[in-house]
Amino acid sequence: MRFIFMIDHLSTWVGKVFAWAILILTFVVSYEVFMRYVMGAPTAWAYDTSYMLYGTLFMMSGAYALAHNAHVRADVVSRYFPPRVQAGLDLALYILFFYPGILALVWFGWDFFALSFRQNEHSSFTPGGPPIYPYKFVIPACAALLAVQGIAEVGRCLICLRYGQWPRRLGDVEEIAIPLNKQDEIKAAESDSGEKRQ
């Protein structure tokens, strides 16, 4: 369990570091709007900077979201299964779909970056655009982080299969259904106590 939490902390740390990109992105877009519409002098670098920042933010937050179970899940039916069945289903999906896709993203993403680096590729959207290979390096980097976080998720599945209940997670993100269930329990308890008083 300690090893799983170490991976969770790594993914959380990376996600929180790259979350600062949203502030830089906000500044860049605000500056571009001000220069374009107030000063009448649009910048040549804001477009490239904004899509690179947004793409980096989006990709590097994937492992964070997986660590906190915050990805959108199609578990409308499976959430009602017993924990062991859920864990078996999740484990099969990680092996059959997650890891082949993530490992392909690492492999081909590295080739994509390496070719860009060898060519000293620059953005073609603006004249004299910035180098684009650092941005392309984000592809294999985020895939590698997802692969590492996937190890923790597979470990959680194995623990659940063995003990019959899901191990706890870092408490940063909570499902919406949990507070709703708690509210329902509170209302049910209040109505029961009200009926007993009568």
Side-chain angles (χ1 to χ4, degrees):
M1 199 62 204
R2 186 177 298 169
F3 179 68
I4 291 174
F5 278 146
M6 281 175 52
I7 295 174
D8 286 348
H9 282 293
L10 172 66
S11 298
T12 300
W13 181 81
V14 170
K16 287 183 177 181
V17 166
F18 280 92
W20 287 98
I22 197 70
L23 290 178
I24 303 167
L25 178 60
T26 302
F27 172 77
V28 167
V29 172
S30 301
Y31 182 77
E32 170 61 16
V33 168
F34 175 77
M35 292 303 291
R36 180 179 295 269
Y37 295 107
V38 177
M39 304 302 289
T43 64
W45 51 267
Y47 176 73
D48 288 315
T49 306
S50 61
Y51 81 74
M52 288 181 190
L53 280 169
Y54 180 73
T56 301
L57 170 68
F58 180 80
M59 288 189 285
M60 295 305 286
S61 62
Y64 173 92
L66 187 58
H68 294 279
N69 201 22
H71 283 291
V72 175
R73 295 173 60 106
D75 59 353
V76 177
V77 175
S78 65
R79 72 186 316 154
Y80 298 107
F81 293 163
R84 280 196 170 101
V85 176
Q86 292 176 0
L89 184 61
D90 279 4
L91 183 61
L93 293 173
Y94 276 112
I95 292 168
L96 293 173
F97 296 105
F98 178 83
Y99 267 107
I102 290 299
L103 294 176
L105 193 58
V106 171
W107 183 267
F108 292 108
W110 181 261
D111 286 346
F112 194 54
F113 156 72
L115 179 63
S116 178
F117 180 76
R118 284 194 303 270
Q119 294 175 344
N120 192 23
E121 184 181 9
H122 284 62
S123 173
S124 59
F125 291 114
T126 54
I132 204 166
Y133 55 85
Y135 176 57
K136 289 187 176 180
F137 176 74
V138 171
I139 298 168
C142 82
L145 281 168
L146 278 166
V148 170
Q149 184 59 44
I151 294 169
E153 299 308 311
V154 166
R156 280 191 172 89
C157 292
L158 294 173
I159 290 170
C160 184
L161 283 170
R162 182 171 182 182
Y163 296 107
Q165 63 182 16
W166 286 104
R168 66 184 186 88
R169 291 183 176 271
L170 298 177
D172 199 24
V173 176
E174 191 173 330
E175 282 191 43
I176 294 172
I178 293 170
L180 292 176
N181 290 341
K182 287 180 183 174
Q183 289 174 1
D184 291 342
E185 288 173 13
I186 291 169
K187 286 178 184 174
E190 287 173 352
S191 66
D192 287 345
S193 64
E195 288 171 6
K196 286 176 183 174
R197 279 193 223 114
Q198 292 173 359

